[in-house]
Amino acid sequence: MKSMVFLLVFLLALPCLAEPRLLLAPRDIDRIQKVAKEQAWAAQVVRSLTSFADEWPAQHVREYGLKEWALPAEGAGWSHAYVCPDHGVRLTQRAGKNLCPIDGKDYHGWPIDQVVYMQRNGNNAQAVRDLGLVFRLTGKPEYLEKARRILNAYSDLYPTLPIQDNNNKLDTKTGARIMSQTLSEAGWLVPLAFGYDLVRDALAAEDRARFETRVLRNAADVIRRYDAGKSNWQSWHNAALLAVGLLVEDRELVTLALDGPSGFKFQAREAITADGAWYEGAWGYHFFALNPLLLTREMAVRAGIALPEAAALKRMLDAPLACVFPDGTLPNFNDSAYTSLKSEAHYYDIGYRLFQDARYLSVATAAPRGLESLLWGADSLEGRKAEPLASELLESAGIAILRVLGSDHALAVKFGPHGSGHGHYDKLSFISYADGARQAADPGTQAYAAKSHDTWDKMTVAHNTISVDGQVQKPATGKLLDWVPLPHVTAIRLSAGPVYGGVELERTLVETGDYTLDVASARASDGATHQYDWLYHNFGKLASDLPLVPRRLTPQQNGYQHLRGTSGVSTDGPWQVSFSNLCVRMLGDRDTTVVTGEGLGPDLRVAVPFVMARRSGESAAFAALYETGAITDFEGAAHSFTVESAQFRDKITTQPFSLNRNRGSQPILVAIPAGAQNTWLGNFTAAPAEVDWSPDGKAVDLYSKAASGTLRFYAPQAEVIRVNGRPIDAARDGAFRTVTLR
Ligand SMILES: [Zn+2]
Ligand SMILES: [Zn+2]
């Protein structure tokens, strides 16, 4: 009662407690109040916002080991500089100490302390947003007062700071005042502007004028100095410029942010590939860019600006779904660490509100709903369950995910455009997952200031591909030659090149629930002899029966210098090594040197073992099999292979792809490409087809995505015939049956 009276007095005291409009409008505040009353998760979000607002700034002061709350007195530094100079690992901030997690040493001075200034500024901007929200939800002036304190402190400080960059250089194009790059200035400004909008009509006119001139307009001037073109940077710039333009009613800024040469519309058109993947080919940057793009959309909607280009954001939500691994992570290709889709759940919550795609629900509900869900998420996340994921091809991004129904085997292969400054020289490399664990590894990226970022992360030798003459591949775009995605086996054939001199690569990967077949080759068109290093890195511990002897590997550059504990052996015969629960077998060829050792992985503290096969000549081919223990025999050459276990015998051809699996003389699985046929299956359609026979031959399952055409298949004992899971009648034709698809 007391607080209601207080609120009433307070409301009366302010002639126009008028409306926020930037990222929340009054109707949003009403909705948030309602959801928080009705739903426990939302009540929890409001409770933690409120306790944050109550405790501010005591908690901030404690967290950063300050004497009292104040803004950092100088400009901040670059997050990637927060690295131990001895170990290259990221430091940990604790009560003002910058600790190496390996030996606990505390580091200070430029650029380390400046990174903490960056964190503090980021936290202060978010505090304004959160204090503003709690002020709107409760009407209590103490929250307004706290927000005002931060806003006024920035009004005092902002114009006094010089423009400085990550390297501490003054007045460079990418530099900024509060932060050390226009990107971070924009990322700081957006929540600050959002919070300002929530409280501004309760501020004194003088405070408003000072903040709008000294901070908002000034920061927009700093940010717009640098047109970052097609980029995640510019997407953040655009969100910040739009926020300022709308708040200070500057039409020119609004137009620049949306319609400018590098505005939102340009980014939506140029930076989102046809598959929906962000063009930089790194999932970290994909979501990092999606964030300001979604915020821009929310601002435009509330400002009554039509933005049909925002429909492209749906593709950006779809692409990660196509690529996710069984453990919920996305491939860490290019400059990307492991991105867990679970930690991006709120985008799918917002996405479900925008696009009502039922597939988003499983991601949106994978993590507890938080602040973003409360602000911009769906009213309800109840809905039907989505289908299990199948193999997917993102052709313009150049990523394919090979998946197998009823198995956790998954493999992601990379053949797309290089990915500009964040690309790795790793054409036709892949990573994989099987039997509950990550197998084939990519180092992803370390913090950019870590020495091994340039000397290892990006290097060809750090990837599961072929390096030529110990060199780094040239940036190249691969080509898709064959794609046969079927429920229980998927095959892909790719080429890339020239990756070095006149050398072209080709690779076929066949994923089944029992093994992966990998046939990789390199061919020189210059008639010269080259040295080809086939490389494979897999998590775990390497074991081998090979008579390996310690051997120093050459070259000692281009990333090879990071390969440690190397031993080798020369052999003409087939060989195998194992990595914890995964066995790698390779067919023999003359003059092969097999080398094992350890390289660097995504976590610099955990070495990742590798095996390398080195061959020389005009060309070289490497046929390998990855399996988890059930395979008894692997043979073949060129384009034809057999793989045997106690349960089956597979005959595989790679050009064109086909797989015939028999148990004894009975077929149990046949897979062929579009239009092909063999002894057991005639496929008169424009799509690949698979047939599975039950062991007694009584149940026959056909799979094809063709909308029309005919499948003729061996089925002398068939009692049940299904096409894509649905029972169907099939005409009899001797020992064969025929179904017509329509
Ligand atoms: Zn250290
Ligand atoms: Zn990589």
Side-chain angles (χ1 to χ4, degrees):
M1 190 60 188
K2 199 174 142 203
S3 71
M4 271 187 62
V5 171
F6 187 81
L7 177 61
L8 198 62
V9 170
F10 179 71
L11 288 170
L12 291 172
L14 291 163
C16 61
L17 188 66
E19 313 193 325
R21 59 184 188 220
L22 188 67
L23 276 156
L24 291 180
R27 64 175 184 281
D28 297 308
I29 307 282
D30 294 345
R31 176 182 51 79
I32 290 167
Q33 301 274 29
K34 183 167 172 283
V35 180
K37 259 193 214 110
E38 291 168 355
Q39 299 186 32
W41 71 270
Q44 178 54 44
V45 173
V46 171
R47 265 199 306 279
S48 57
L49 269 177
T50 310
S51 76
F52 167 83
D54 286 335
E55 283 187 35
W56 192 91
Q59 203 222 342
H60 181 98
V61 166
R62 253 195 330 273
E63 187 180 347
Y64 292 105
L66 307 175
K67 287 200 195 70
E68 57 178 353
W69 181 83
L71 296 181
E74 55 180 293
W78 188 38
S79 65
H80 284 277
Y82 206 57
V83 161
C84 169
D86 289 339
H87 301 101
V89 294
R90 279 184 197 269
L91 300 172
T92 310
Q93 196 283 134
R94 206 171 296 140
K97 293 187 168 155
N98 308 306
L99 305 170
C100 169
I102 293 178
D103 61 11
K105 203 170 152 192
D106 181 18
Y107 288 94
H108 289 278
W110 189 88
I112 306 284
D113 286 324
Q114 280 68 15
V115 181
V116 180
Y117 300 164
M118 183 213 77
Q119 295 165 1
R120 283 168 56 191
N121 283 314
N123 288 8
N124 286 327
Q126 286 186 4
V128 174
R129 177 197 66 191
D130 294 353
L131 290 162
L133 281 167
V134 179
F135 171 62
R136 277 290 149 189
L137 294 171
T138 64
K140 291 187 184 172
E142 65 235 47
Y143 304 120
L144 168 65
E145 205 36 56
K146 289 180 179 184
R148 198 177 73 94
R149 186 173 166 199
I150 304 173
L151 292 167
N152 284 350
Y154 278 120
S155 297
D156 291 339
L157 179 71
Y158 196 90
T160 70
L161 295 177
I163 290 178
Q164 46 99 41
D165 71 9
N166 292 341
N167 300 312
N168 222 2
K169 289 214 179 78
L170 293 176
D171 293 322
T172 54
K173 201 165 66 167
T174 58
R177 294 188 196 277
I178 285 293
M179 301 295 200
S180 59
Q181 35 183 29
T182 49
L183 165 68
S184 328
E185 200 90 331
W188 160 80
L189 193 59
V190 170
L192 189 72
F194 178 15
Y196 171 69
D197 179 57
L198 294 169
V199 300
R200 69 163 159 174
D201 292 312
L203 294 173
E206 193 203 327
D207 288 343
R208 287 205 302 264
R210 267 168 55 83
F211 184 76
E212 292 185 9
T213 313
R214 295 171 69 94
V215 179
L216 292 180
R217 286 183 186 276
N218 262 345
D221 285 344
V222 168
I223 291 164
R224 67 182 294 180
R225 285 162 43 252
Y226 178 37
D227 179 344
K230 175 167 96 171
S231 62
N232 62 70
W233 277 55
Q234 191 60 35
S235 301
W236 274 104
H237 292 179
N238 291 334
L241 296 175
L242 180 63
V244 175
L246 293 171
L247 284 172
V248 305
E249 295 180 8
D250 182 332
R251 280 249 48 111
E252 195 221 332
L253 274 183
V254 171
T255 307
L256 183 66
L258 298 176
D259 303 290
S262 303
F264 176 92
K265 294 178 186 177
F266 168 82
Q267 303 293 335
R269 211 168 49 236
E270 299 291 329
I272 304 172
T273 62
D275 305 312
W278 188 250
Y279 81 102
E280 283 166 297
W283 291 112
Y285 285 109
H286 182 94
F287 289 105
F288 186 67
L290 178 60
N291 190 347
L293 296 172
L294 281 168
L295 290 170
T296 300
R297 187 201 160 279
E298 297 291 340
M299 286 188 268
V301 166
R302 281 168 187 77
I305 301 169
L307 206 53
E309 293 79 2
L313 300 181
K314 176 158 196 326
R315 294 206 314 277
M316 264 187 108
L317 290 161
D318 293 344
L321 281 186
C323 294
V324 66
F325 264 47
D327 63 356
T329 61
L330 295 166
N332 61 339
F333 290 142
N334 288 350
D335 279 352
S336 199
Y338 285 116
T339 301
S340 167
L341 212 45
K342 207 168 148 178
S343 60
E344 317 297 341
H346 57 281
Y347 294 120
Y348 288 86
D349 196 328
I350 298 168
Y352 188 66
R353 188 195 98 227
L354 300 180
F355 306 113
Q356 288 89 45
D357 187 327
R359 295 173 309 155
Y360 296 176
L361 290 172
S362 61
V363 185
T365 54
R369 301 178 82 185
L371 179 60
E372 289 89 348
S373 300
L374 183 63
L375 301 181
W376 304 297
D379 288 343
S380 161
L381 290 180
E382 269 143 48
R384 62 207 150 84
K385 249 179 90 189
E387 303 274 300
L389 296 167
S391 291
E392 295 263 8
L393 175 67
L394 278 67
E395 196 167 355
S396 58
I399 299 176
I401 312 293
L402 284 57
R403 297 187 177 103
V404 182
L405 207 63
S407 140
D408 72 353
H409 286 207
L411 181 150
V413 57
K414 178 170 178 275
F415 61 96
H418 180 65
S420 69
H422 294 297
H424 291 186
Y425 305 94
D426 62 348
K427 223 42 56 174
L428 309 194
S429 183
F430 69 91
I431 61 169
S432 68
Y433 189 97
D435 288 21
R438 286 183 185 134
Q439 304 290 349
D442 184 296
T445 189
Q446 299 300 321
Y448 298 162
K451 290 184 195 110
S452 63
H453 175 59
D454 284 329
T455 60
W456 173 259
D457 296 347
K458 292 169 180 280
M459 296 291 100
T460 304
V461 70
H463 295 88
N464 304 314
T465 182
I466 294 175
S467 108
V468 185
D469 294 342
Q471 299 291 323
V472 180
Q473 288 182 359
K474 291 195 294 192
T477 303
K479 229 190 288 168
L480 179 71
L481 303 176
D482 290 315
W483 173 241
V484 185
L486 287 162
H488 298 96
V489 55
T490 290
I492 190 166
R493 188 160 71 93
L494 300 159
S495 70
V499 293
Y500 172 67
V503 177
E504 305 261 348
L505 304 184
E506 189 174 312
R507 184 167 228 164
T508 300
L509 290 156
V510 179
E511 184 73 275
T512 74
D514 303 283
Y515 58 83
T516 308
L517 172 68
D518 172 15
V519 185
S521 63
R523 177 171 299 280
S525 60
D526 56 9
T529 289
H530 294 278
Q531 176 178 284
Y532 300 107
D533 290 345
W534 175 97
L535 288 141
Y536 182 72
H537 307 260
N538 196 107
F539 294 105
K541 286 265 169 287
L542 185 138
S544 164
D545 294 335
L546 289 167
L548 296 158
V549 290
R551 139 176 348 219
R552 189 180 138 86
L553 200 58
T554 53
Q556 281 290 310
Q557 59 198 28
N558 300 330
Y560 284 76
Q561 70 275 23
H562 291 290
L563 300 174
R564 297 289 155 84
T566 47
S567 321
V569 62
S570 296
T571 176
D572 293 341
W575 53 267
Q576 67 183 67
V577 297
S578 65
F579 295 85
S580 299
N581 66 341
L582 186 116
C583 177
V584 178
R585 298 159 175 260
M586 184 174 275
L587 299 180
D589 202 352
R590 66 188 159 70
D591 298 332
T592 303
T593 304
V594 181
V595 177
T596 64
E598 288 182 337
L600 309 180
D603 181 345
L604 289 180
R605 293 166 292 182
V606 183
V608 174
F610 75 92
V611 61
M612 181 182 106
R614 174 172 283 181
R615 289 171 185 165
S616 291
E618 253 178 72
S619 65
F622 304 86
L625 196 80
Y626 313 97
E627 51 110 353
T628 49
I631 301 305
T632 53
D633 194 36
F634 170 44
E635 284 174 44
H639 308 309
S640 175
F641 302 90
T642 60
V643 180
E644 267 186 75
S645 78
Q647 304 299 317
F648 60 79
R649 181 165 197 273
D650 286 354
K651 288 182 80 67
I652 301 164
T653 62
T654 55
Q655 290 188 33
F657 168 75
S658 73
L659 184 146
N660 275 269
R661 173 168 290 188
N662 278 40
R663 185 172 296 164
S665 59
Q666 291 301 309
I668 51 177
L669 169 68
V670 165
I672 57 175
Q677 51 182 312
N678 71 14
T679 316
W680 312 107
L681 170 62
N683 176 20
F684 307 100
T685 77
E690 175 182 312
V691 186
D692 299 341
W693 289 265
S694 63
D696 60 6
K698 288 183 177 163
V700 181
D701 276 284
L702 291 93
Y703 299 92
S704 172
K705 288 211 169 134
S708 63
T710 303
L711 297 171
R712 183 174 180 273
F713 52 97
Y714 178 74
Q717 276 103 37
E719 289 171 9
V720 183
I721 295 166
R722 289 177 289 252
V723 174
N724 299 323
R726 273 200 314 218
I728 195 169
D729 286 329
R732 209 177 266 281
D733 174 6
F736 285 76
R737 303 282 187 99
T738 302
V739 295
T740 302
L741 308 172
R742 55 172 66 86

